Amino acid sequence: MQHDKVLILDFGSQYTQLIARRVRELNIYSEIHPYNKIPTNIQEYKAVILSGSPFSVRGDEALLPDLLNIKGRKPLLGICYGAQYIAHFFGGNVSLSNSREYGRANLSFVKKDETFFNNISEGSQVWMSHADTIKKLPTNGVLLASTGDVKNAAFKIEVEKTYAIQFHPEVYHTKDGKQLLENFLVRIAKIKQDWTPDSFVEETVSALKEQLGNDKVVLGLSGGVDSTVAAILLHKSIGKNLYCIFVNNGLLRKKEFENVLAQYEGMGLNVKGVDASARFLNALAGIDDPEKKRKAIGRAFIEVFDDEAHKIKNVKWLAQGTIYPDVIESISATGGPSAIIKSHHNVGGLPDYMNLKIVEPLKALFKDEVRRVGASLKIDAEILARHPFPGPGLAIRILGDITPEKVSILQDVDAIFINGLKEWNLYDKVWQAGAILLPVNSVGVMGDERTYEKCVALRAVESTDGMTADWVNLPYEFLQKISNDIINKVKGVNRVVYDISSKPPATIEWE
């Protein structure tokens, strides 16, 4: 890859992945690496960004990167913990703030004629999230910006291209955050903005051709954006040597197995449908722990693909539509100090007995990037606009154990909800939506008779990458109509609630 690259060192901040996304929005390629695993080819990176962290530079557990080949040698931007690290260990002083500085603030001072703050003025809103504060600038430090409560909100080091900010430019609440990153990366670091969907397609197809040669590849299709884009990329690379399998795990949306198979007709792909619903439901019988559900589904997928792969002579690779957030939430930001949130069924490798190698064309992309790549590949807009659907399917939307009866109930509820969003022209205004079957019964009255039936929760969120999300304020009239339809048409449900939690602190899925 001939693009200029930005290295992001992860100190465990919940926002590290957002830094990568914001950089890529500028058409600049970025990679996240743990603070203590700096790539040996550091000379290939045009700039380095230090992330925030839940740790303190003053503590015994302070995270200490080796900046010997970075600071003063490459353009360097420290964010929050990164800024405090530069101050604390290079001649300045960091101490506990009198009050925790968290939330919105406004720049009260910005140094005039400073490239770093080009097109950013006093009064611009920024987002703070730290308990420590910089009391004294490091050696050769020059103050660049302040807020009402934080004097040293931004600074630079003279005779170096080293910059530091106490606030977070990557979050939405910092209004000029993208502009600031552009100032640093484009105007100061002189990085070319040539990381585009078209370039990704061209380079990925070329790399896949070299990696796979004349080998045969089996790919698990889901009908969603990720696996479809992965399939088209592989098809452009190896053509007839790609064998696509769409598995009915018994946990899909209502009639989705038939609909997805029809969707792929005319796309030039070699697709085989496999109905393994009984196998998956048997594997899940009696399991109510969400992590055990995910593991059981992962094992079942592996078994199905192992069976199908043996039917293809000389297949050597298993392709997956794994994307970056899957990897981040499963393996803690490429091995860094971030917390593991949950496992994903398509992350973590294969058992030895399968004797297949993994190829993951999309594992470096966020969801919105996958959609842009799909558009570059001329994939149907309706497919690209599909809401994300969890790999384990409805299993993690049924709280408690899984039974065919519960699956049937939730499929009917989900169909009413999703079809309703489409009929009310709300579907494209929502990033992801679904229904959750709760493990409780509630008392109701229907036809003057007492009922004791299931409760379902509806969930609709807006997001760009799934890393953070807010609940969608759906019209009351819509919720009223959907609630009535569900209760009247789905036997076994007598109560509907709407989830108004954001991520964080909640997650999008309930399990």
Side-chain angles (χ1 to χ4, degrees):
M1 186 174 64
Q2 301 304 312
H3 301 282
D4 289 347
K5 298 190 294 185
V6 174
L7 172 63
I8 301 168
L9 294 183
D10 177 26
F11 293 87
S13 169
Q14 62 176 313
Y15 302 132
T16 300
Q17 296 76 37
L18 291 181
I19 302 174
R21 282 200 65 255
R22 295 293 178 260
V23 172
R24 292 186 188 187
E25 286 174 2
L26 295 169
N27 292 331
I28 295 172
Y29 182 73
S30 61
E31 292 178 356
I32 298 174
H33 288 263
Y35 75 96
N36 57 352
K37 295 181 180 178
I38 297 174
T40 55
N41 60 335
I42 187 65
Q43 70 279 0
E44 296 181 10
Y45 295 87
K46 297 294 185 180
V48 179
I49 299 176
L50 309 180
S51 83
S53 176
F55 296 92
S56 169
V57 297
R58 303 177 298 104
D60 295 336
E61 297 181 346
L63 309 181
L64 309 177
D66 181 4
L67 299 183
L68 180 63
N69 294 318
I70 297 175
K71 186 178 178 295
R73 300 189 178 190
K74 290 185 175 293
L76 174 65
L77 172 62
I79 297 174
C80 197
Y81 180 93
Q84 294 166 3
Y85 181 89
I86 293 170
H88 186 70
F89 290 99
F90 293 93
N93 177 261
V94 175
S95 65
L96 183 66
S97 175
N98 292 331
S99 61
R100 189 167 186 269
E101 295 162 346
Y102 181 85
R104 295 173 179 84
N106 296 96
L107 297 177
S108 58
F109 161 75
V110 173
K111 190 175 186 297
K112 304 298 183 184
D113 301 321
E114 172 54 51
T115 302
F116 189 58
F117 280 96
N118 184 57
N119 292 326
I120 303 173
S121 59
E122 293 175 1
S124 179
Q125 179 179 290
V126 298
W127 181 264
M128 296 285 187
S129 180
H130 55 92
D132 287 345
T133 194
I134 298 169
K135 293 294 188 181
K136 177 187 174 185
L137 295 179
T139 303
N140 295 324
V142 177
L143 180 65
L144 298 183
S146 305
T147 68
D149 295 321
V150 181
K151 178 182 178 182
N152 297 314
F155 65 87
K156 70 176 181 179
I157 305 295
E158 282 189 307
V159 306
E160 295 181 14
K161 291 183 178 180
T162 297
Y163 293 78
I165 50 178
Q166 289 246 65
F167 54 89
H168 289 267
E170 68 273 25
V171 302
Y172 171 79
H173 306 293
T174 296
K175 298 302 183 183
D176 293 314
K178 185 176 179 179
Q179 177 68 60
L180 186 140
L181 289 172
E182 181 177 350
N183 292 340
F184 172 70
L185 296 171
V186 179
R187 293 177 173 82
I188 294 172
K190 306 299 183 184
I191 294 177
K192 297 189 295 290
Q193 295 173 277
D194 57 3
W195 167 251
T196 65
D198 287 346
S199 69
F200 176 84
V201 170
E202 180 182 349
E203 291 158 11
T204 300
V205 169
S206 176
L208 288 171
K209 286 180 178 179
E210 182 176 349
Q211 180 183 16
L212 302 175
N214 198 39
D215 291 349
K216 292 180 179 179
V217 178
V218 60
L219 165 68
L221 283 175
S222 69
V225 177
D226 304 333
S227 64
T228 301
V229 173
I232 298 299
L233 283 170
L234 286 159
H235 182 70
K236 287 175 70 70
S237 305
I238 60 174
K240 60 182 176 57
N241 280 348
L242 174 64
Y243 295 79
C244 299
I245 298 171
F246 177 50
V247 177
N248 180 8
N249 61 5
L251 301 161
L252 302 174
R253 286 183 156 134
K254 191 172 184 178
K255 297 183 179 180
E256 186 164 18
F257 186 56
E258 300 82 0
N259 293 339
V260 168
L261 288 176
Q263 164 187 295
Y264 286 118
E265 293 178 2
M267 293 181 67
L269 299 174
N270 175 20
V271 182
K272 178 182 179 181
V274 178
D275 189 351
S277 52
R279 186 172 190 166
F280 280 85
L281 291 173
N282 287 336
L284 287 166
I287 298 176
D288 56 13
D289 179 84
E291 277 297 289
K292 291 181 180 178
K293 287 182 189 176
R294 291 177 183 272
K295 298 295 185 184
I297 290 169
R299 285 192 298 269
F301 265 115
I302 294 297
E303 291 168 1
V304 170
F305 277 102
D306 188 42
D307 292 345
E308 294 301 321
H310 278 98
K311 299 175 184 178
I312 306 170
K313 189 176 181 181
N314 296 325
V315 65
K316 294 184 179 180
W317 297 84
L318 173 64
Q320 298 186 138
T322 309
I323 63 173
Y324 203 23
D326 297 337
V327 177
I328 291 166
E329 292 192 337
S330 293
I331 62 172
S332 184
T334 63
S338 303
I340 294 175
I341 307 299
K342 60 187 176 184
S343 65
H344 286 260
H345 78 279
N346 60 342
V347 177
L350 296 172
D352 293 337
Y353 68 79
M354 280 199 70
N355 199 30
L356 289 178
K357 295 177 285 186
I358 290 180
V359 56
E360 298 170 312
L362 308 176
K363 68 179 182 180
L365 299 184
F366 290 96
K367 176 70 75 172
D368 55 321
E369 293 178 309
V370 176
R371 286 196 171 101
R372 289 199 292 272
V373 168
S376 178
L377 290 166
K378 311 300 183 186
I379 294 174
D380 187 271
E382 187 173 345
I383 295 176
L384 297 179
R386 282 193 64 179
H387 290 178
F389 188 67
L394 299 180
I396 58 169
R397 293 182 177 175
I398 298 173
L399 275 58
D401 65 325
I402 310 297
T403 67
E405 178 189 16
K406 291 179 180 179
V407 172
S408 178
I409 289 174
L410 190 55
Q411 284 177 331
D412 288 341
V413 171
D414 179 84
I416 290 172
F417 185 30
I418 298 301
N419 290 336
L421 287 170
K422 293 177 179 178
E423 291 168 4
W424 284 60
N425 294 320
L426 295 169
Y427 185 84
D428 292 336
K429 299 177 182 179
V430 173
W431 191 77
Q432 184 172 351
I436 299 92
L437 184 64
L438 304 184
V440 295
N441 284 23
S442 67
V443 175
V445 178
M446 300 180 76
D448 295 327
E449 293 183 1
R450 178 185 184 274
T451 62
Y452 192 59
E453 295 179 332
K454 297 292 184 184
C455 174
V456 294
L458 306 181
R459 181 86 159 128
V461 299
E462 53 186 3
S463 181
T464 55
D465 52 26
M467 301 303 298
T468 61
D470 288 321
W471 62 278
V472 178
N473 189 6
L474 295 175
Y476 288 144
E477 296 81 4
F478 169 79
L479 291 173
Q480 182 182 46
K481 176 70 164 58
I482 295 302
S483 176
N484 287 341
D485 285 350
I486 290 171
I487 292 172
N488 288 329
K489 297 177 181 180
V490 182
K491 186 177 180 180
V493 176
N494 69 355
R495 191 176 298 271
V496 177
V497 299
Y498 186 54
D499 182 351
I500 58 170
S501 308
S502 295
K503 176 185 180 180
T507 55
I508 295 176
E509 300 294 342
W510 281 39
E511 289 191 339

